[in-house]
Each structure stands twice: as C-alpha cells, then as structure tokens.
Amino acid sequence: MKFYPDLMTDLSGKKITDASMWSDRKKEIVDILSREEYGYMPPVYGETKGEIIKVNEGECAGHAVHQDITISFPTEKGEFSFPLRLVYPVSDRKVPVIVYMSFSNLLADHYIPLEEIIDRGFAIAEIYYKDVTSDDEDMTNGLTGMFTRPDDGTGFGKISIWAYAMSRALDYLLTREEFDPEKTACQGHSRLGKTALWCGANDDRFRYVISNDSGCGGAAYERTKHEGAETIEFMNGRFPYWFCENRQKYAGAEDTMPFDQHFLIAASAPNNVIVASASLDQWADPYSEQLSCVGASPAFELFGKGFSGTEEKAKVGDNFDGGKVAYHLRDGRHFMSRTDWNLNMDYILK
C-alpha cells in the first residue's frame, strides 16, 4: 500500500480536526506546492483595470453580449496587458461567470460550446494562454518576463504565470454588476486544467475550480500511476518550464515528495472542485485523478460533505457530484466536450 503525505497533519505534527484550523494548514500546503512544484507566484503590484475595446450586443442570436476587453495591471517591470473575450447572457439577474484559460484565440472553438453556455445562463471570460506567455522554455517573454524569477529552484513556472493572469481577469470581473461573485469559476483542460487547480489554490475568490483531464502535475496522484500514464520523468524531459526547477528532483523518486496531488485539490477548500476525466485518456490517468479526490476529501469534510465517490474504480458515465469535490468519468479521449461543460454547469447550478 502506498504511503501518501498526511493532508490533515500540519508541519508541527498537530492534527487538523475542525474548520478553524484549516486556514493555517492551507497556507502550509500552498507553500509546499510553491516551493517544490509550481514555483512561487509573483506578488500583486497594484490595481487591475479593464478597457472595453469592442462590443457586439447581438451575439448568439441576440441572447448575449460579446465584449473584447483589455486587462491591464502593474508589474515589477511596468504595465502588462492581455486581451479578454467576454460573452454573457442578456439577463436581469447576476449570472455565474467562468474564467476559461484557452488553447485558442477563437471564442467559439471545438472546446467551447458557446451557445449552450449562454443558454444555460452562464458567462464565459476566455483568455488565450499564449497572449499571457509562450508555452516554451523562454522565461523572458510576455508576463513571465515582467518579474524577476528566483534561481534557487523555487522560481515560477509557466503554470503559475497563466494562473496569475486568471486572477487578474477576476479582479476586473468582480467590479462588474452582471456577475455573481458567489458563482465564479476558473476552468481549464490538460495543462490548463493544472493551471486552474493552481489558480484556485491561490485565489479563494474562485468558488468553483474546474480541472479537465489535467493528469500528471494536475489532479492525478504521482505515487500511483496506471498503465500508459504520464510521469514526472517524462514531463521533466518535455515540459520542465511548466514547473519550478525543484520538481525535477522527484523524477523516479515520487515517494520522497513531501506532498502529492491530493494536496493541490485540497488547497481549494472550502471552495468547490470539479475533477473531470475521460475513459480512454490513459495519459492523464483517470483512476489516479479519482483516487486523488478521495485523498483530498478530508479537507472538504471540515466544511460539509467531501467526495461522494469511493476508491472503487469509476465506471464510464459515473458522476459523483454529491459533495464539495465532484468527479465524473466521461466516455472518450483527451478532450473537453459538451458533456464536461454541461456536467460542470449542472454542479454550479445545484
């Protein structure tokens, strides 16, 4: 049986037994993950502003408003900005808003069923991830280059920078009267699912944290890998820049980590987390994602019901949405489908 670091025992050896003790433990967990996996996020240097550049009030056959917005904010090395594509339903009520880090600069691509999102009463605020920083080892371009990166092994990786941008988008969205501050979500797929989890761990204002097929370095346990799953060793060879340099020492030595990915999921407590897997996505290791939800559950149980599933391997179509950690296993491959979007929205609207 695998040994996993104890989520509910703090660094002094004290057991976390009630909600009043969680805040300090959460700070410890975020610090461990910052130091050993993702790198420390840069600080916030000042106020975020949004400038509406273009408006289309007839989006989705007149049911929605589309705004192109420039998000800008001060950094260590000056002002930085990126585009935000915002679409929200015409409504007389405050609506839920999903900040979505995207692989595309098209508002309605094959990952985004825009009309369904609008018809269900949701707003989507989309960020194209390469508008923030490049997806490569260049640490000088985009937002990455606007901060001094420590060279002690704890310097931020690209995941931290993408997550930082999601929070700056939320800074602006929370100034808008159209959106419900109690139904804010950060969402991403694959490497951007890892980003959403890390964003939620660092920003309590996101009430729902949604990870789709995030796998290794995301929702999936590192100590428990099933056939065909990605490993830290492989990821270090291909994508070391997503993480801090300290993570590299755990390739083939996962059992020495002072954390595992249940820490990452738990760091969003007491907010809600949705972990989505796909049945044929062996690379992301669906069963390890499910088991990580089980491992994270005790943190959420301090605030209500944790994970409503069990350690028994999920069947295709299973949707465990009865607690503050939700998990579903969709049929198919590595993708963000309409099924994923609809199950996520179902959960938020509960």
Side-chain angles (χ1 to χ4, degrees), residues 74-123:
T75 74
E76 176 189 355
K77 299 180 181 179
E79 191 88 353
F80 185 80
S81 64
F82 62 85
L84 181 76
R85 287 159 286 277
L86 174 65
V87 181
Y88 57 93
V90 176
S91 175
D92 58 1
R93 295 183 298 177
K94 291 181 181 291
V95 301
V97 58
I98 298 172
V99 178
Y100 177 60
M101 188 63 75
S102 175
F103 288 110
S104 169
N105 58 4
L106 300 174
L107 188 58
D109 70 358
H110 64 292
Y111 284 124
I112 306 175
L114 182 60
E115 285 196 86
E116 286 184 58
I117 294 167
I118 294 301
D119 287 346
R120 300 207 58 188
F122 280 74

Side-chain angles (χ1 to χ4, degrees), residues 232-248:
I232 293 178
E233 183 175 10
F234 180 90
M235 189 172 282
N236 281 352
R238 290 285 304 278
F239 310 110
Y241 53 87
W242 290 349
F243 304 92
C244 68
E245 292 173 1
N246 275 347
R247 186 173 186 258
Q248 296 180 18

Side-chain angles (χ1 to χ4, degrees), residues 37-39 41-42 101 129 132-135 139 144 156-166 190-199 202 214 216-218 235 239-244 247 264:
E37 187 163 24
Y38 302 99
M41 270 197 197
M101 188 63 75
Y129 80 135
V132 177
T133 189
S134 64
D135 188 5
M139 292 292 179
T144 311
F156 49 78
K158 294 294 180 82
I159 285 173
S160 280
I161 297 301
W162 292 321
Y164 185 95
M166 295 180 89
S190 194
R191 71 200 66 177
L192 303 180
K194 309 180 208 300
T195 299
L197 286 169
W198 186 228
C199 179
N202 284 275
S214 60
C216 184
M235 189 172 282
F239 310 110
Y241 53 87
W242 290 349
F243 304 92
C244 68
R247 186 173 186 258
L264 175 63

